[in-house]
Amino acid sequence: MNNSILVTRPKYDDGTEYLSAYALEVIKKAQEKFSVKDFEGKEAIKENVEKYLKNKNPKLLFLNGHGNESEIFGHKDKIIFSLTNINLLKDKITYARACFSANFLGHEAVKNNSGCFIGYIYPFSFWMDEERSATPLKDKVAGMFLNPSNEVVFSLLKGESARKADEKSKKMMIENMREILAMERKNEPGATGMLQILWDNYEGQIVLGNEDASL
């Protein structure tokens, strides 16, 4: 196994377009020290991911897209990971920015091995500013949700443990929730809804398996 990094970035609806844009910020930072394989758009399919995993055996996987309790999807909701190939995540560090990914699938990924799986037991959700939909990285509303999730990988890239990466991500969420509370006190529209969603992300983000895993 080496310290190369595999990233999936499907982009075919508003949600995946945003995830893809924010994941690119992580990729740029990772490329300063690591070899990064970026499966973007229509390249984010099971066949490509499996081939790379078998040939290159990366240490870290950063998966973006839709998901459920037993599957993680790539391009146009095509399955990339399910129980049929979950063995490919054995002994690896996986961060799945996908709804419900840390339920059944995440537990299976770390069963009887030294790997780690960071994901969500609830939907991973975020709000968007429709006026910024063409420029996701300038969307301050979406950044409230997506920057803390990016921090998971930024911390791992620094060599910090999965446990520490989770803690730093959640610290950012708390800071953002305080900012949203200030908005709520000013009766700014939408603040209550934003706070609930960010709280769900906070409670839903968990670390499974080897919490001391690091690059």
Side-chain angles (χ1 to χ4, degrees):
M1 186 180 297
N2 59 60
N3 280 354
S4 64
I5 299 168
L6 183 157
V7 183
T8 61
R9 290 193 300 134
K11 42 194 296 189
Y12 57 92
D13 59 18
D14 288 344
T16 53
E17 287 279 357
Y18 266 69
L19 293 180
S20 175
Y22 277 81
L24 185 59
E25 295 294 285
V26 175
I27 290 171
K28 291 176 181 177
K29 186 65 176 179
Q31 288 173 332
E32 296 175 6
K33 290 185 177 181
F34 302 94
S35 172
V36 181
K37 183 59 180 179
D38 175 24
F39 290 110
E40 177 188 4
K42 64 182 181 180
E43 297 301 314
I45 59 174
K46 180 178 180 180
E47 292 79 6
N48 291 339
V49 171
E50 286 189 338
K51 181 178 180 181
Y52 186 82
L53 282 169
K54 292 173 182 176
N55 291 339
K56 300 298 183 179
N57 199 21
K59 175 71 172 180
L60 172 64
L61 287 79
F62 179 25
L63 309 176
N64 295 273
H66 296 298
N68 59 43
E69 293 187 353
S70 57
E71 297 164 326
I72 295 174
F73 303 116
H75 180 59
K76 291 189 175 179
D77 287 345
K78 295 178 181 177
I79 296 170
I80 292 183
F81 287 104
S82 68
L83 297 182
T84 63
N85 63 351
I86 197 64
N87 62 297
L88 293 174
L89 301 184
K90 181 180 179 181
D91 298 322
K92 295 175 172 54
I93 302 171
T94 301
Y95 173 42
R97 188 154 60 181
C99 296
F100 302 113
S101 58
N103 284 291
F104 190 59
L105 188 75
H107 285 278
E108 291 299 310
V110 299
K111 185 178 290 185
N112 300 321
N113 67 79
S114 62
C116 174
F117 189 100
I118 305 170
Y120 299 86
I121 59 173
Y122 304 142
F124 174 81
S125 302
F126 56 94
W127 274 18
M128 298 177 283
D129 181 347
E130 292 183 359
E131 295 182 358
R132 291 292 187 182
S133 60
T135 54
L137 295 176
K138 294 182 180 180
D139 187 338
K140 294 182 179 180
V141 173
M144 287 275 196
F145 306 89
L146 293 171
N147 287 328
S149 63
N150 271 0
E151 183 60 32
V152 172
V153 190
F154 282 137
S155 296
L156 291 170
L157 294 175
K158 296 175 185 177
E160 294 174 338
S161 69
R163 180 192 303 106
K164 186 67 173 179
D166 176 63
E167 290 173 353
K168 291 182 72 173
S169 170
K170 288 181 174 176
K171 182 179 179 181
M172 286 186 67
M173 291 189 217
I174 290 173
E175 291 170 354
N176 288 350
M177 282 189 273
R178 287 178 178 149
E179 186 173 337
I180 295 170
L181 279 170
M183 294 167 55
E184 188 177 42
R185 286 192 290 270
K186 296 177 182 178
N187 295 316
E188 294 190 24
T192 301
M194 289 176 62
L195 187 63
Q196 182 61 58
I197 291 173
L198 191 53
W199 175 254
D200 288 344
N201 288 351
Y202 178 92
E203 282 210 313
Q205 182 176 299
I206 65 171
V207 183
L208 300 171
N210 180 14
E211 296 186 358
D212 293 322
S214 63
L215 292 177

